[in-house]
Amino acid sequence: MKKVIQFGENVKGYDIPVLNEREIRAAAGMMLLATFISLMLILFKGNFVPIKYVITLFLVDFSIRVFVNPKFSPVLILERLIVNNQNPDYVGAKPKKFAWYIGLVLSATMFVLMPILNTYSIITGIVCLICLILMFFETAFGICLGCKIYNFFNKEKAQYCPGEICDLKTKQDIQKTSKIHFLCCSEHFSL
């Protein structure tokens, strides 16, 4: 039973349970794409049916990730198959669980408002926008905003964050920008 209901994997070389960030980012990308397509169908066709299925999938998937085991999440299983030829990029499991609780609350809110009550309002729009922002940051930048929030609410700071964003370090030369960079950019964007 312990192998079924658990959160994170024990991997040699890591002193805490970890998850594979590559499949998590891929899953966020797929969920972002599904949400975006569903929103376009709402805007251009007035079709609310696909978003109700997407919201239901989110709720089921986040429930499995948080309460059972991320190994059994349908979206993560699909993404695991897609990225299986890439080396795993391990990240701490606790901050991800916290982030996925945020996803669970947001998807549960949307599930009650749209598939159950069959309503839409400014609240559903705001919740949807928050979801899109969270998924976009995860997918495009590798930044888990929920994991960043985790550090505000826990005295135990996150370990093994994606891209080592939780570790304080000095920037390498390739990461630095100067006034000349901004000057060059402003010339390209001026009218």
Side-chain angles (χ1 to χ4, degrees), residues 9-188:
E9 302 295 318
N10 296 316
V11 175
K12 187 177 179 181
Y14 294 87
D15 53 351
I16 60 171
V18 293
L19 298 166
N20 183 358
E21 175 65 10
R22 294 196 193 279
E23 64 189 44
I24 293 167
R25 282 182 76 178
M30 286 298 248
M31 294 171 99
L32 176 66
L33 180 63
T35 305
F36 182 76
I37 290 169
S38 297
L39 290 176
M40 292 301 104
L41 289 170
I42 291 170
L43 290 173
F44 296 116
K45 301 275 186 181
N47 184 355
F48 284 82
V49 174
I51 195 70
K52 292 177 182 183
Y53 285 108
V54 169
I55 291 167
T56 303
L57 174 65
F58 276 32
L59 181 60
V60 169
D61 198 72
F62 279 124
S63 296
I64 293 169
R65 289 183 196 191
V66 170
F67 298 121
V68 180
N69 188 332
K71 262 191 202 180
F72 301 111
S73 150
V75 176
L76 287 175
I77 290 170
L78 175 63
E79 301 316 317
R80 192 172 306 125
L81 293 170
I82 292 172
V83 300
N84 71 357
N85 288 328
Q86 299 177 15
N87 288 328
D89 182 15
Y90 293 117
V91 295
K94 279 186 180 180
K96 284 294 180 188
K97 188 172 191 175
F98 180 84
W100 290 342
Y101 268 117
I102 294 171
L104 181 66
V105 168
L106 293 172
S107 61
T109 302
M110 290 295 286
F111 184 77
V112 168
L113 292 174
M114 292 195 82
I116 292 180
L117 297 177
N118 200 31
T119 64
Y120 65 95
S121 66
I122 190 73
I123 295 169
T124 55
I126 290 170
V127 172
C128 197
L129 179 63
I130 292 168
C131 290
L132 287 169
I133 290 169
L134 293 172
M135 289 184 291
F136 180 76
F137 268 77
E138 177 80 36
T139 303
F141 307 122
I143 298 173
C144 174
L145 294 176
C147 297
K148 300 283 267 175
I149 295 168
Y150 171 87
N151 283 330
F152 290 115
F153 293 104
N154 291 286
K155 60 183 174 187
E156 177 187 319
K157 296 299 178 196
Q159 298 176 352
Y160 307 117
C161 295
E164 291 87 35
I165 61 168
C166 298
D167 302 332
L168 293 175
K169 61 181 178 190
T170 58
K171 289 186 180 184
Q172 297 177 21
D173 287 339
I174 198 167
Q175 296 174 297
K176 295 178 182 176
T177 54
S178 66
K179 292 177 185 175
I180 194 79
H181 293 113
F182 291 107
L183 181 63
C184 290
C185 288
S186 65
E187 287 178 14
H188 291 292

